[in-house]
Amino acid sequence: VHFSAHLLPPPPLPSAFHAPPLVVGTVELRALMELKSSLDPEGKILGSWISDGDPCSGFFEGVACNDHRKVANISLQGKGLSGWLSPALAELKCLSGLYLHYNNLSGEIPPHISNLTELLDLYLDVNTLSGTIPPEIANMASLQGNYIHNTSFP
């Protein structure tokens, strides 16, 4: 016995059921959410960083994007952040400026930061970071401003 069926494609769903296209890559948004959890563990400062938001909308405090709608700068100096630097930071491939000085960040600097090949400015001074400065950071050709002094390195 042989059966033959002609299946028609399902009718399109009404537009209310179509998910809007995600403007910003989910990798960047996930990285920012991980960074938020690490930098602001009590959730008191980075409340504008929301998991269903658009980092390039202008509503993510301290985040600026480039013309390609990729995160280019994070400027959170002197905001009272008291967490640590997440390795997820390395997922922000277009980051050219990281300004986290004058906070109370602790822990070590993740060596993954050296994967940020477009990073020009790294300001981590006046924090309570520990450990050693990863040698990979010293070899970053793109870095112009590297301020890690005035912190508690041994």
Side-chain angles (χ1 to χ4, degrees), residues 43-74:
K44 294 180 179 179
I45 298 160
L46 300 177
S48 64
W49 292 24
I50 55 174
S51 61
D52 61 348
D54 175 2
C56 297
S57 65
F59 292 112
F60 274 52
E61 181 178 358
V63 174
C65 294
N66 62 20
D67 293 339
H68 302 289
R69 301 189 53 74
K70 297 290 185 182
V71 175
N73 280 292
I74 296 178

Side-chain angles (χ1 to χ4, degrees), residues 99-140:
Y99 307 94
L100 296 174
H101 47 302
Y102 293 97
N103 280 294
N104 193 27
L105 300 176
S106 59
E108 297 184 0
I109 298 173
H112 305 83
I113 287 180
S114 65
N115 295 337
L116 298 172
T117 57
E118 295 187 31
L119 192 64
L120 300 173
D121 293 320
L122 177 61
Y123 287 70
L124 298 175
D125 52 314
V126 195
N127 276 292
T128 56
L129 298 169
S130 58
T132 59
I133 298 172
E136 297 91 341
I137 291 177
N139 296 328
M140 292 176 68

Side-chain angles (χ1 to χ4, degrees), residues 20-56:
L22 190 58
V23 177
V24 176
T26 57
V27 170
E28 280 200 329
L29 188 56
R30 254 195 326 266
L32 285 172
M33 291 300 99
E34 287 184 41
L35 193 58
K36 172 187 178 179
S37 294
S38 72
L39 293 176
D40 185 21
E42 295 178 16
K44 294 180 179 179
I45 298 160
L46 300 177
S48 64
W49 292 24
I50 55 174
S51 61
D52 61 348
D54 175 2
C56 297

